[in-house]
Amino acid sequence: DVKVTQSSRYLVKRTGEKVFLECVQDMDHENMFWYRQDPGLGLRLIYFSYDVKMKEKGDIPEGYSVSREKKERFSLILESASTNQTSMYLCASIQSGELFFGEGSRLTVL
Amino acid sequence: SQKIEQNSEALNIQEGKTATLTCNYTNYSPAYLQWYRQDPGRGPVFLLLIRENEKEKRKERLKVTFDTTLKQSLFHITASQPADSATYLCALDGDSSASKIIFGSGTRLSIRP
């Protein structure tokens, strides 16, 4: 079975802190994604990566950056966390059109 | 810009009935459309993918239709069970890149015994 693992299920950070959300997939998928999910807004694409060191902006990249140094790992970085980045963050990889999601990281920024 | 609309109101269905969820999209012609299930506090789980040249697809008690003229997909769960209660998300491949998947906001389905 494909497994997408997000390093933290729950995080609490303070405004201005730098936050790293890590995601690892074990199926050698080329493409990986970061979404955030908020009530009433659904899943919104932040960034995606189609190869090592390659990235593309999604619909809401402002305030975020990403890193893909190895094929299996895709990291989401909040350079200076703000309260409006409190959300559920979901990482996914894709094969044959099917997205495989991690369990999510719920981030609270105080 | 592309827009995906799902009924934001929760759908309450009696056990044993067929649940039908709707996904409408505008300003785009996707190559495929997908449905996912999401339980509270969990990541979405893939259910079905239907391509633009397919009208209907089935998997066990699930059926999906795809009408590219109406720009609409219908998702049916027959013989619904309380365990089917979840939020169901519709997703399309993105405009500029087949790797960019965009989602609707989901419809919460509750099946009462």
Side-chain angles (χ1 to χ4, degrees):
Chain A
D1 281 350
V2 174
K3 192 163 178 64
V4 178
T5 304
Q6 293 184 231
S7 55
S8 305
R9 288 298 308 275
Y10 301 95
L11 302 95
V12 179
K13 298 290 181 181
R14 297 207 174 273
T15 300
E17 279 192 80
K18 191 169 185 175
V19 182
F20 291 87
L21 298 179
E22 306 284 347
C23 175
V24 176
Q25 51 98 359
D26 65 357
M27 283 300 290
D28 204 37
H29 292 166
E30 301 286 339
N31 298 336
M32 296 185 72
F33 304 79
W34 275 105
Y35 291 88
R36 67 176 279 178
Q37 186 174 30
D38 301 286
L41 296 177
L43 276 77
R44 292 180 291 166
L45 182 62
I46 305 171
Y47 266 97
F48 67 100
S49 169
Y50 49 91
D51 203 349
V52 174
K53 297 190 187 295
M54 306 302 284
K55 62 186 179 186
E56 241 183 87
K57 293 179 181 179
D59 297 317
I60 51 163
E62 296 78 18
Y64 303 94
S65 62
V66 290
S67 173
R68 185 109 180 258
E69 296 297 319
K70 293 185 177 181
K71 192 174 186 179
E72 67 271 19
R73 188 180 297 271
F74 191 34
S75 303
L76 180 69
I77 304 154
L78 288 66
E79 293 290 343
S80 178
S82 62
T83 54
N84 63 11
Q85 291 178 310
T86 291
S87 187
M88 169 71 97
Y89 290 87
L90 290 159
C91 174
S93 63
I94 193 170
Q95 183 169 348
S96 302
E98 177 183 342
L99 281 167
F100 297 87
F101 282 91
E103 290 291 355
S105 297
R106 183 165 291 283
L107 172 66
T108 301
V109 183
L110 303 175
Chain B
S1 62
Q2 303 153 31
K3 195 172 180 183
I4 304 173
E5 289 183 348
Q6 294 186 254
N7 191 342
S8 58
E9 292 184 14
L11 187 63
N12 293 296
I13 299 292
Q14 180 74 42
E15 182 177 7
K17 302 290 187 184
T18 296
T20 298
L21 285 67
T22 305
C23 175
N24 295 294
Y25 59 93
T26 57
N27 300 327
Y28 182 54
S29 296
Y32 59 82
L33 183 148
Q34 305 173 53
W35 286 88
Y36 290 78
R37 168 184 173 139
Q38 187 175 25
D39 293 291
R42 310 294 295 273
V45 175
F46 172 82
L47 295 175
L48 282 166
L49 181 152
I50 185 166
R51 301 192 182 278
E52 60 178 338
N53 59 348
E54 299 175 308
K55 296 293 184 188
E56 182 180 298
K57 203 156 196 178
R58 292 175 185 261
K59 179 182 177 183
E60 297 172 353
R61 294 184 295 112
L62 308 180
K63 185 178 87 170
V64 172
T65 63
F66 192 8
D67 189 325
T68 55
T69 302
L70 291 178
K71 294 187 181 296
Q72 180 181 79
S73 174
L74 298 179
F75 176 80
H76 307 272
I77 305 176
T78 58
S80 59
Q81 305 166 2
D84 295 325
S85 299
T87 295
Y88 290 87
L89 303 167
C90 168
L92 307 175
D93 62 306
D95 194 6
S96 59
S97 165
S99 294
K100 180 182 174 182
I101 311 293
I102 56 174
F103 283 81
S105 57
T107 299
R108 192 167 71 234
L109 174 66
S110 294
I111 309 297
R112 59 182 186 273

